[in-house]
Amino acid sequence: MGAKSEKNKPFPGGIGRFRQKYDNNFLISFGIMIAIFLFCFLMIATGNATRHFKSLLVPAGINIILAISLNLVVGILGELSLGHAGFMSVGAYAGCLFSIYTQELFPIGVRFPLSLLVGGLVAAFFGLVIGVPVLRLKGDYLAIVTLAFGEIIRSVIINLDFTGGAAGLKNIEKHTTYTSVFIIILITLFVILNLINSRHGRAIMAIRDNRIAAESLGVNITYFKLLSFILAAFFAGIAGVLYGHNIGSLTAAQFDYNRSIEILVMVVLGGMGNIKGSIISAILITIIPEMLRGADKYRMLFYSIILIIMMLLNASPRFAEFKRKIRIKNLASALKSKSRQKEEV
Amino acid sequence: MTILETKKLGISFGGLRAVDDFSISIQKGQLYGLIGPNGAGKTTVFNLLTGVYKPTDGSITLDGENITGKSTIEISKAGIARTFQNIRLFKNLSVLDNVKLGLHNRVKYNLLTSIFKVGSYSRKEEEMNKIALELLRVFGLENEAQLPASSLPYGMQRKLEIARALATNPKLLLLDEPAAGMNPNETAELMETIKFVRDEFDMTILLIEHDMRLVAGICEEICVLNFGTVLAKGKTSEVLNDPRVITAYLGE
Ligand SMILES: Nc1ncnc2c1ncn2[C@@H]1O[C@H](COP(=O)(O)OP(=O)(O)OP(=O)(O)O)[C@@H](O)[C@H]1O
Ligand SMILES: [Mg+2]
């Protein structure tokens, strides 16, 4: 009885300042990321990591950044964007060109973070240029325009000289390490999760849930749509720069429509608006095709089948119930009630 | 003191004259009813008052300020809040967060504070929690504060919408069929709540309602719309006994 009335209180035990700032979402997402990093670090330090394993760390991390930033637009704001690879590519080219042309000016330790910033800002600028006319319109124009943007930017890059044209941009210093990717993931998580848990984030989710009601409360729809869209483009741009400094070269073909869809699949698979889910699914989508390499020509077939099964599982109410059951909080309370039953017997 | 005054307000949708020559005047603290048959143009009046539609004719004055043609956001800031005929809650957000959105322009901090959680963040959030919980208590919803809004039963959702609108601290509160879908017990309770809100917050309320017992029970004045025009307006008891009003309703 006492426990019940306690549970019914608005904030059991009051809400502390720390918990107000850092909710479960925040702490669990950071927990997951730090655990993954420690695991990778130990694997490498103990000499258990194969070359193949090591080669997947950076791509997986880049996918995590892409997935959580796209989730801000698709899951939190509720607008469909099909051009995330486009923002990644403008960021990649801007940041990598910057790093090539300033080779004599700064040492790599300064040049690398600067080029990340340049890539992010240029991508954000493109987000602004596309967002301002499109996000003011009511309706699903964003999907069409971002799709067109991704394709247009690709052919523009191919036809320019300073981007290296179709042959691509070469001689980019390979400076991306899994540690630097990890740091950027933490920054991305910090910014996006903090944003979600604030008056700005609430406004963004309110627009998703009911635009008309949000507007009637004085929420500036255009501002918050633009804010999410530009922020997502910014992180996609940074991911692009990390990508360029990992491979050492860039070609426009890597940033095609399929790449955008792949990022979108990560978001949908991890759950709309679910940042933890995006982390997990970005990792899965990076490693599954690699694990299937042995299957050779059936690889893409298996890959598609696995994707479909995962999507179906995610949509199934039984699986949702199962996930609910295995949540730590619920496990703990189930254990408690069991032990109480025993006492009573 | 006049809070709301409309003069010859009108709007056309293509050939349809949805509202025409609509003039009313509402005093501070009044409970004013807007009634009429289905499709009479009542919700359209609310949409005109809140800037969802721009009037093709006439003017709207709120507490001495001309708000004709202003945007929904400006009108919200000027002091009109509303509920919707078909409930419009933020379904995936908690009950508490729904009310906190009503505080969006009242308790503010900037984007950097949101992202870095420094400065006034904790203080402002605590302030919001306090105001929002007090409002939820008025509507008996404080125990549901942490639940998603969509999990509430229908009657509670209607109340939450009123709480959220009140959180904007409006000069005028518009309620679009607050008792729709409620049983007689819930309706009776809602009547008490609306009266309580008027007295406690010194609020001016304009409400649309089909339930005549509610209208007769709490509205001091009413206005009857029929085919977009004012059929009658004035003291509730007088208007409800007006033969023209009776035929408009029975003639349906
Ligand atoms: N955006 C619009 N475009 C065209 N016609 C509209 C629009 N909004 C409302 N109308 C028309 O205006 C008329 C009045 O509609 P309104 O919703 O205001 O009626 P109401 O009095 O609220 O009715 P109810 O009691 O059924 O809610 C209707 O004929 C409706 O079809
Ligand atoms: Mg209506």
Side-chain angles (χ1 to χ4, degrees):
Chain A
M1 181 62 209
K4 197 179 171 215
S5 62
E6 179 69 18
K7 200 176 155 203
N8 277 346
K9 268 192 196 158
F11 299 111
I15 189 162
R17 285 203 164 179
F18 180 79
R19 296 292 289 150
Q20 172 79 59
K21 278 185 185 173
Y22 305 111
D23 57 358
N24 283 345
N25 238 344
F26 189 98
L27 297 175
I28 295 172
S29 301
F30 266 75
I32 291 175
M33 258 340 287
I34 290 168
I36 291 171
F37 180 77
L38 286 179
F39 171 76
C40 298
F41 180 78
L42 285 175
M43 286 284 282
I44 291 167
T46 57
N48 279 320
T50 60
R51 272 184 58 143
H52 192 203
F53 176 85
K54 282 191 235 169
S55 74
L56 285 177
L57 291 179
V58 170
I62 289 173
N63 279 341
I64 292 176
I65 299 168
L66 289 168
I68 50 188
S69 57
L70 183 63
N71 207 342
L72 178 62
V73 174
V74 179
I76 306 293
L77 173 66
E79 289 275 343
L80 186 55
S81 167
L82 297 176
H84 218 48
F87 293 112
M88 185 188 178
S89 74
V90 286
Y93 274 92
C96 293
L97 281 168
F98 175 86
S99 129
I100 291 171
Y101 283 109
T102 56
Q103 218 145 20
E104 261 102 72
L105 287 176
F106 314 108
I108 185 74
V110 180
R111 191 149 42 87
F112 185 56
L114 272 183
S115 61
L116 289 175
L117 193 63
V118 168
L121 289 176
V122 170
F125 173 74
F126 274 84
L128 179 77
V129 170
I130 291 171
V132 166
V134 179
L135 290 172
R136 281 148 67 139
L137 305 174
K138 290 168 191 167
D140 299 322
Y141 298 99
L142 192 69
I144 300 162
V145 174
T146 48
L147 176 65
F149 163 72
E151 294 303 294
I152 291 168
I153 205 73
R154 199 159 54 90
S155 52
V156 168
I157 290 173
I158 289 175
N159 288 302
L160 285 176
D161 278 338
F162 67 92
T163 57
L169 194 63
K170 300 207 170 56
N171 302 325
I172 306 162
E173 215 163 318
K174 291 190 184 179
H175 195 69
T176 305
T177 59
Y178 79 99
T179 313
S180 55
V181 175
F182 174 71
I183 292 168
I184 300 292
I185 294 175
L186 289 192
I187 293 174
T188 314
L189 275 178
F190 183 86
V191 171
I192 290 182
L193 288 170
N194 272 347
L195 181 77
I196 292 174
N197 180 27
S198 73
R199 74 181 271 273
H200 295 84
R202 271 197 299 272
I204 294 168
M205 292 184 284
I207 294 170
R208 170 195 68 193
D209 280 5
N210 204 311
R211 188 186 57 82
I212 292 174
E215 210 167 15
S216 83
L217 300 171
V219 173
N220 187 337
I221 309 288
T222 311
Y223 170 79
F224 286 102
K225 280 188 175 181
L226 263 180
L227 173 66
S228 336
F229 192 63
I230 291 173
L231 208 55
F234 177 75
F235 286 114
I238 291 182
V241 185
L242 287 170
Y243 178 83
H245 284 80
N246 183 48
I247 309 280
S249 64
L250 289 175
T251 54
Q254 292 155 332
F255 306 102
D256 63 352
Y257 174 67
N258 291 323
R259 187 80 176 100
S260 292
I261 294 298
E262 192 184 31
I263 306 165
L264 187 64
V265 168
M266 295 173 202
V267 173
V268 175
L269 195 64
M272 293 285 199
N274 184 344
I275 302 295
K276 300 174 290 241
S278 287
I279 298 176
I280 308 287
S281 70
I283 295 173
L284 287 180
I285 299 237
T286 316
I287 59 176
I288 289 173
E290 295 298 324
M291 281 164 41
L292 292 175
R293 262 189 204 282
D296 200 30
K297 59 183 171 186
Y298 297 113
R299 182 172 153 225
M300 286 327 282
L301 179 68
F302 285 139
Y303 179 58
S304 318
I305 292 175
I306 291 176
L307 275 188
I308 292 170
I309 292 174
M310 293 204 292
M311 293 274 182
L312 288 177
L313 263 181
N314 241 4
S316 122
R318 277 211 198 134
F319 187 64
E321 176 68 9
F322 172 73
K323 277 200 294 194
R324 201 182 56 77
K325 269 192 196 147
I326 60 170
R327 275 206 205 133
I328 300 167
K329 198 171 63 183
N330 297 336
L331 269 183
S333 63
L335 280 177
K336 250 188 226 159
S337 67
K338 270 216 181 115
S339 64
R340 197 175 302 144
Q341 273 176 359
K342 269 187 200 155
E343 276 167 30
E344 278 167 12
V345 169
Chain B
M1 191 172 76
T2 309
I3 285 289
L4 180 80
E5 181 155 41
T6 68
K7 283 198 184 125
K8 297 191 174 298
L9 205 57
I11 187 168
S12 307
F13 298 114
L16 177 80
R17 192 76 183 151
V19 173
D20 189 41
D21 198 16
F22 180 79
S23 305
I24 55 168
S25 168
I26 302 179
Q27 304 305 308
K28 183 163 173 57
Q30 222 174 5
L31 253 166
Y32 200 106
L34 183 58
I35 65 170
N38 288 108
K42 305 179 294 296
T43 300
T44 305
V45 167
F46 274 20
N47 285 334
L48 286 170
L49 293 178
T50 53
V52 175
Y53 300 148
K54 305 275 173 274
T56 35
D57 311 274
S59 68
I60 309 166
T61 312
L62 178 74
D63 199 14
E65 182 190 351
N66 184 356
I67 56 165
T68 322
K70 290 208 167 160
S71 73
T72 307
I73 296 170
E74 287 168 318
I75 289 177
S76 160
K77 286 180 182 165
I80 299 185
R82 72 178 291 184
T83 66
F84 297 87
Q85 185 169 353
N86 44 344
I87 303 175
R88 288 182 176 277
L89 289 173
F90 308 123
K91 291 204 265 316
N92 299 299
L93 301 190
S94 71
V95 168
L96 184 73
D97 280 352
N98 267 271
V99 181
K100 282 165 90 172
L101 270 150
L103 300 168
H104 182 74
N105 285 322
R106 261 178 81 189
V107 186
K108 292 181 167 188
Y109 48 82
N110 63 27
L111 183 60
L112 290 180
T113 308
S114 281
I115 290 177
F116 295 103
K117 298 280 159 77
V118 288
S120 58
Y121 175 84
S122 298
R123 192 164 45 78
K124 292 284 168 79
E125 284 291 325
E126 274 166 22
E127 189 184 337
M128 281 192 237
N129 286 340
K130 194 164 156 273
I131 303 175
L133 279 172
E134 267 166 27
L135 272 170
L136 286 176
R137 211 160 287 136
V138 168
F139 291 89
L141 288 168
E142 75 270 29
N143 290 339
E144 282 74 20
Q146 304 284 53
L147 300 177
S150 58
S151 72
L152 293 185
Y154 188 80
M156 282 187 169
Q157 293 199 9
R158 285 237 170 255
K159 288 187 187 171
L160 175 56
E161 233 196 352
I162 303 177
R164 183 182 69 183
L166 275 177
T168 65
N169 199 16
K171 289 175 180 161
L172 173 69
L173 177 64
L174 309 179
L175 305 176
D176 199 341
E177 302 198 15
M182 286 188 175
N183 64 36
N185 283 338
E186 286 174 319
T187 305
E189 193 195 315
L190 181 77
M191 279 168 69
E192 290 310 310
T193 315
I194 293 174
K195 267 195 279 189
F196 177 83
V197 166
R198 190 264 304 270
D199 299 339
E200 190 71 12
F201 296 85
D202 200 14
M203 189 58 58
T204 313
I205 300 174
L206 171 61
L207 66 87
I208 296 174
E209 193 44 73
H210 281 298
D211 187 322
M212 282 307 146
R213 263 177 313 166
L214 186 145
V215 173
I218 61 174
C219 295
E220 288 115 23
E221 277 190 47
I222 57 173
C223 168
V224 186
L225 266 188
N226 198 21
F227 297 113
T229 56
V230 177
L231 188 66
K233 62 181 176 184
K235 283 230 163 53
T236 306
S237 51
E238 289 167 18
V239 173
L240 286 182
N241 289 322
D242 189 323
R244 286 176 308 163
V245 174
I246 295 168
T247 39
Y249 268 88
L250 295 180
E252 254 200 322

